Amino acid sequence: MGGRIQSLNTLTREIWQWCIHRNIWLSACHLPGKTNVEADKLSRSNNTDLEWKLNTNVFMCINSIYCRHGRKSYPKTDFGGSRNNLNSTFVEHSTLVPSNTASYCSGFLHNTQGKRTTVVDTANRSSKETSVEKTDFGCLQIVGQIVQNTGLSKKAAEIVISSWRQSTQKQYWTYLKKWCTFCCQRKIDIFTPTEVDVVEFLTVLYESGVGYSSINTARSALSSYLTLGKTLPIGQWPLVKRFLRGVYNKRPMFPRYQQTWDVNVVLEFLITLSPVKLLSLRCLTLKLVMLLALVTGQRIQTLHCVDLDFMKITKDNVVIEINEVLKTSKPGKHLSPICLPAFVDDTRLCIVTVLNAYIERTSAIRTSQKLFVTFVKPYHHPTKSTISNWIKLVLKLAGVNTSVFKTHSTRGASTSAALRAGVSVNSILKSAGWTNESTFRQFYNRPVTVQEYNDNYSVRVLRGK
């Protein structure tokens, strides 16, 4: 008909309907190009939207990397090579650029019709890799070059790069791209900046409207990569430290939560999801994931890693071991096995009962040994984002204000409830996987939103008169 263009499709449909009402039949036939003058002329018109050029900033970044190896000048550029005589950049001597950089260079595309530079990893666009594996290839190229500048071999540099988790590399790469653009615009050496250069870069980020947390992340990215092999990290430079203090005073960052929600509200909602044998797979999944998050106090990452092969279930308890690297995992330190006893006080909240029912229900549709399975076709292991959405949905159904409290607040609500119930701090730290008590006290221990009258500070003071 009219193809993907809606207006042409509508016009074609009108023509067909007009012909049908008049018993007219239309047939297509070949028309030689020499007789099809008008249509052929329109099809041969130049479309400037199809013209592209290499972004100047990206070109300078690439040049700054490879010119460090004895090259003194930029490759020659030609500004008349495109069909429409648009500004195009051509490398005069292709041998100056190693062949293994083709994938890296092909990731940068710049549209001459727009002002925004975008980075596209063309290899990942058609792949089915997980989000963790989709770390931008250009990040590894630049970071690898930075590490190799310390004198390490390529193999040693790859091992050093792996010291940063994939999630950290993705977060840092956002600011490394901005750093490369900043250096190219001001003709600054990307790898050996001065203290003034770093502060000016952070000032540009500040003027763009970002807060203290984002600027501190950018500082951490530069400090992690650009000070390898040096005695004093960028974050310890006096002027940089003073600048960050100024940013905090102008745009202070406060804790997300000053209070937390009442765990009993959610538990009362979970009780209504009974008996488990009559629940749908959706409701059973939501109950299990929320209950497991509350009784363990763990992150979404830990729940995502739970594996049936590393789980032992008896009528009295369930023991879960995590055999994957977690956020808090370090050499010689890993999360201890999680032991959850059966809750004999109320079987409607018993983790052993709910877990056994879930495993039995999903046995026929399970495609892996990971605990959780999506409750819609095709059944597969859910992502961390999906598990997070499940917990957020339960919070919303239970009546918790999800516009204020996000999924991660479950960790703080659970551990805070345990402390109020008389659980020792050491037991809380061991269960949640924290090393320092200060982490729990500073970021997670919060009072319940509604405070009882007799426990109010002002009431206690007035009663003491």
Side-chain angles (χ1 to χ4, degrees):
M1 298 292 284
R4 298 182 180 180
I5 302 178
Q6 183 64 33
S7 59
L8 296 180
N9 198 351
T10 303
L11 179 60
T12 306
R13 183 182 297 273
E14 293 177 356
I15 294 174
W16 274 108
Q17 291 176 349
W18 185 88
C19 294
I20 291 173
H21 290 314
R22 291 163 178 78
N23 294 325
I24 299 175
W25 291 91
L26 299 178
S27 60
C29 62
H30 172 70
L31 186 63
K34 61 181 181 180
T35 59
N36 191 20
V37 179
E38 183 177 358
D40 191 60
K41 179 180 179 181
L42 294 175
S43 65
R44 295 181 182 275
S45 61
N46 292 330
N47 187 354
T48 56
D49 292 337
L50 300 178
E51 298 295 335
W52 299 73
K53 73 172 183 178
L54 184 63
N55 182 12
T56 304
N57 293 334
V58 174
F59 175 74
M60 294 178 65
C61 289
I62 297 174
N63 185 79
S64 63
I65 293 176
Y66 294 105
C67 280
R68 291 177 60 85
H69 301 281
R71 304 184 183 99
K72 302 298 183 180
S73 60
Y74 292 101
K76 181 181 179 181
T77 58
D78 180 10
F79 298 100
S82 129
R83 182 175 64 179
N84 289 327
N85 202 28
L86 296 175
N87 291 341
S88 304
T89 304
F90 296 93
V91 180
E92 181 184 30
H93 303 290
S94 59
T95 56
L96 293 179
V97 183
S99 58
N100 60 359
T101 62
S103 299
Y104 170 67
C105 297
S106 64
F108 293 89
L109 295 178
H110 178 70
N111 190 344
T112 58
Q113 301 300 320
K115 296 182 178 179
R116 183 178 179 182
T117 303
T118 58
V119 179
V120 181
D121 189 345
T122 55
N124 286 337
R125 293 169 65 181
S126 59
S127 65
K128 297 183 179 180
E129 299 174 341
T130 61
S131 58
V132 175
E133 295 171 338
K134 290 185 178 179
T135 304
D136 201 287
F137 186 73
C139 174
L140 300 181
Q141 285 283 345
I142 291 182
V143 173
Q145 184 64 37
I146 294 174
V147 175
Q148 290 187 51
N149 284 340
T150 61
L152 295 176
S153 63
K154 182 179 180 180
K155 291 295 183 181
E158 291 177 355
I159 297 177
V160 172
I161 292 175
S162 63
S163 64
W164 290 282
R165 304 282 173 85
Q166 292 287 347
S167 57
T168 303
Q169 291 184 18
K170 292 175 62 177
Q171 184 181 24
Y172 283 177
W173 175 229
T174 300
Y175 298 101
L176 287 179
K177 287 187 296 185
K178 296 180 182 294
W179 169 250
C180 291
T181 302
F182 172 83
C183 292
C184 292
Q185 291 175 345
R186 305 199 180 193
K187 298 182 179 180
I188 299 172
D189 192 327
I190 297 177
F191 308 102
T192 57
T194 64
E195 191 170 2
V196 175
D197 295 334
V198 173
V199 172
E200 288 295 332
F201 169 67
L202 298 179
T203 303
V204 171
L205 295 180
Y206 176 83
E207 292 177 346
S208 67
V210 300
Y212 173 82
S213 178
S214 298
I215 294 178
N216 192 42
T217 302
R219 187 273 313 162
S220 179
L222 298 182
S223 182
S224 297
Y225 294 122
L226 300 183
T227 54
L228 290 174
K230 300 180 182 179
T231 56
L232 189 63
I234 289 178
Q236 298 298 321
W237 290 357
L239 192 57
V240 174
K241 293 174 62 177
R242 183 62 60 181
F243 177 82
L244 287 174
R245 291 180 184 178
V247 172
Y248 179 81
N249 291 335
K250 285 183 170 293
R251 295 177 184 172
M253 182 187 66
F254 300 106
R256 179 188 291 269
Y257 307 117
Q258 298 294 342
Q259 298 173 324
T260 189
W261 43 271
D262 190 359
V263 172
N264 292 324
V265 174
V266 178
L267 293 178
E268 291 176 0
F269 171 74
L270 295 180
I271 289 177
T272 63
L273 301 178
S274 301
V276 292
K277 292 184 178 181
L278 300 181
L279 293 178
S280 64
L281 179 59
R282 178 176 182 268
C283 293
L284 182 58
T285 303
L286 295 179
K287 181 172 184 176
L288 175 61
V289 70
M290 191 67 206
L291 192 59
L292 195 60
L294 288 176
V295 298
T296 61
Q298 288 295 321
R299 297 180 179 86
I300 302 299
Q301 180 193 23
T302 307
L303 303 183
H304 181 263
C305 294
V306 176
D307 196 308
L308 295 179
D309 290 337
F310 297 88
M311 180 187 302
K312 183 179 180 181
I313 305 177
T314 65
K315 65 178 182 178
D316 297 324
N317 60 26
V318 54
V319 179
I320 303 174
E321 295 183 8
I322 305 299
N323 68 324
E324 298 183 24
V325 177
L326 302 176
K327 181 179 180 180
T328 56
S329 297
K330 298 178 181 178
K333 177 183 177 296
H334 189 59
L335 181 67
S336 302
I338 303 173
C339 182
L340 304 174
F343 189 59
V344 296
D345 297 359
D346 191 343
T347 56
R348 295 173 298 178
L349 295 177
C350 178
I351 186 64
V352 177
T353 302
V354 178
L355 188 58
N356 281 325
Y358 182 79
I359 295 176
E360 181 181 357
R361 184 79 62 85
T362 58
S363 60
I365 61 175
R366 185 175 299 277
T367 58
S368 69
Q369 288 301 100
K370 294 296 183 181
L371 173 61
F372 290 107
V373 181
T374 56
F375 44 75
V376 293
K377 294 182 179 180
Y379 305 108
H380 57 81
H381 182 50
T383 63
K384 291 190 285 289
S385 298
T386 300
I387 297 178
S388 176
N389 291 334
W390 289 348
I391 294 179
K392 187 176 180 180
L393 177 59
V394 175
L395 293 177
K396 184 177 181 179
L397 294 175
V400 178
N401 187 359
T402 54
S403 63
V404 176
F405 297 105
K406 306 303 178 182
T407 302
H408 193 64
S409 65
T410 305
R411 184 167 164 86
S414 173
T415 52
S416 298
L419 183 66
R420 292 193 301 271
V423 180
S424 65
V425 175
N426 290 334
S427 298
I428 294 176
L429 297 182
K430 181 180 179 180
S431 177
W434 292 315
T435 303
N436 300 320
E437 181 180 349
S438 59
T439 302
F440 168 61
R441 298 286 187 185
Q442 183 177 358
F443 300 106
Y444 293 95
N445 186 23
R446 296 288 185 268
V448 179
T449 305
V450 180
Q451 188 178 24
E452 294 185 3
Y453 177 78
N454 292 329
D455 291 336
N456 189 275
Y457 173 81
S458 62
V459 173
R460 291 294 183 93
V461 172
L462 295 176
R463 284 179 177 177
K465 61 181 180 178

